[in-house]
Amino acid sequence: MKFLLIEDNDELAHAICARMQFDGHVIDHASRIQDAFAFGETGDYDLILLDIMLPDGDGRTFLKRHRAGNKDTPVIVLTARSQVSDRISMLDLGADDYVTKPFDHEELQARCRAVLRRKAGAAQTTTRLGNVAFDPVAGSLTIDGQVISLRNRELRLLELLINAPGQIFPKHKLFDRLFSYDEDVSENAIEVYIGRLRKHLEPSDLRITTLRGLGYRLDHG
């Protein structure tokens, strides 16, 4: 999963980023609302974590603009405001959930998982395709009942492909979802992860097809 964190407290932002990256997620960080707008317009995110009090504006301005653009990316508000009226106003503006500061990181992660499940429309997270069963939340891949061990980015790459079998993914699109803006990595890294994933999928009914000049596609059968 790829997250956008909008938070001006450097210590808190570092802690959240480190925890999310440890869990295998890609996360971009904006400390100002103008940077957040730039990330939101150019990036493709599964979830946004939004602080309200920012040095150059109010996070609610970002939330209003985000929803006005008909974007359905879930938003969890990180707020120090404990008044019920404040929380209700943010939910009315389009927030999917909120966490009151200070919070436990386990609680934040649980709320992220719950919001993502709601967006998917079901509590069941396992995708089954042919002889493959994949659960991105548990980080579990099985082929004919045999558990296959994948690294974090291999898991995230498979998640993208298996959720849209038959869809062509350009290399730059995969790169944007697997790496954050501040990572010094070439797009050619995608070829490495595609190669690794192909080896893992050899015993399965799935194959990753390269379409020269277009990208990659997961095929079944």
Side-chain angles (χ1 to χ4, degrees), residues 3-7 16 20 46-52 59 62-63 66-67 72-79 90-91 94-101 103 105 107-118:
F3 297 168
L4 173 61
L5 171 63
I6 306 168
E7 169 62 61
I16 293 174
M20 295 300 180
D46 298 293
L47 180 68
I48 297 172
L49 302 173
L50 174 64
D51 184 24
I52 293 300
F62 175 89
L63 183 56
H66 180 72
R67 293 302 183 217
D72 63 353
T73 307
V75 177
I76 297 179
V77 171
L78 311 178
T79 178
M90 287 179 282
L91 293 172
D96 295 88
D97 202 351
Y98 62 86
V99 181
T100 304
K101 299 178 183 179
F103 53 80
H105 286 282
E107 178 190 2
L108 177 60
Q109 290 175 302
R111 288 183 180 272
C112 289
R113 290 192 296 268
V115 165
L116 290 169
R117 282 197 301 270
R118 290 201 298 271

Side-chain angles (χ1 to χ4, degrees), residues 17-219:
C17 288
R19 189 60 178 265
M20 295 300 180
Q21 289 167 346
F22 179 80
D23 287 339
H25 301 297
V26 176
I27 185 163
D28 286 326
H29 171 224
S31 59
R32 299 171 61 85
I33 195 167
Q34 291 304 318
D35 295 333
F37 285 140
F39 277 119
E41 290 169 359
T42 59
D44 186 8
Y45 299 99
D46 298 293
L47 180 68
I48 297 172
L49 302 173
L50 174 64
D51 184 24
I52 293 300
M53 303 303 292
L54 297 168
D56 60 337
D58 192 315
R60 286 172 293 192
T61 303
F62 175 89
L63 183 56
K64 290 178 183 177
R65 180 165 157 181
H66 180 72
R67 293 302 183 217
N70 293 321
K71 294 184 178 180
D72 63 353
T73 307
V75 177
I76 297 179
V77 171
L78 311 178
T79 178
R81 298 178 176 180
S82 58
Q83 292 294 325
V84 173
S85 59
D86 288 327
R87 299 197 295 267
I88 290 174
S89 69
M90 287 179 282
L91 293 172
D92 285 341
L93 284 174
D96 295 88
D97 202 351
Y98 62 86
V99 181
T100 304
K101 299 178 183 179
F103 53 80
D104 185 272
H105 286 282
E106 294 294 337
E107 178 190 2
L108 177 60
Q109 290 175 302
R111 288 183 180 272
C112 289
R113 290 192 296 268
V115 165
L116 290 169
R117 282 197 301 270
R118 290 201 298 271
K119 185 188 178 187
Q124 175 64 32
T125 60
T126 300
T127 298
R128 301 182 185 278
L129 198 59
N131 62 345
V132 171
F134 177 65
D135 184 341
V137 174
S140 169
L141 169 66
T142 60
I143 300 176
D144 283 329
Q146 181 72 34
V147 178
I148 308 297
S149 178
L150 297 181
R151 297 177 181 178
N152 284 331
R153 282 203 172 97
E154 294 166 357
L155 279 168
R156 302 311 165 199
L157 176 58
L158 179 57
E159 181 180 9
L160 290 170
L161 296 174
I162 206 169
N163 282 336
Q167 178 177 326
I168 299 172
F169 287 88
K171 183 188 290 187
H172 70 84
K173 179 75 168 181
L174 295 176
F175 182 84
D176 178 64
R177 295 303 302 275
L178 292 181
F179 297 95
S180 61
Y181 280 96
D182 59 359
E183 290 183 273
D184 187 16
V185 183
S186 164
E187 277 193 9
N188 291 332
I190 295 299
E191 298 174 12
V192 175
Y193 287 103
I194 288 287
R196 291 177 182 172
L197 196 52
R198 278 182 172 139
K199 290 182 179 179
H200 290 305
L201 293 175
E202 283 179 355
S204 77
D205 299 328
L206 308 180
R207 66 182 184 277
I208 300 174
T209 303
T210 300
L211 297 147
R212 192 172 300 277
L214 296 176
Y216 302 95
R217 182 183 67 205
L218 184 69
D219 292 318

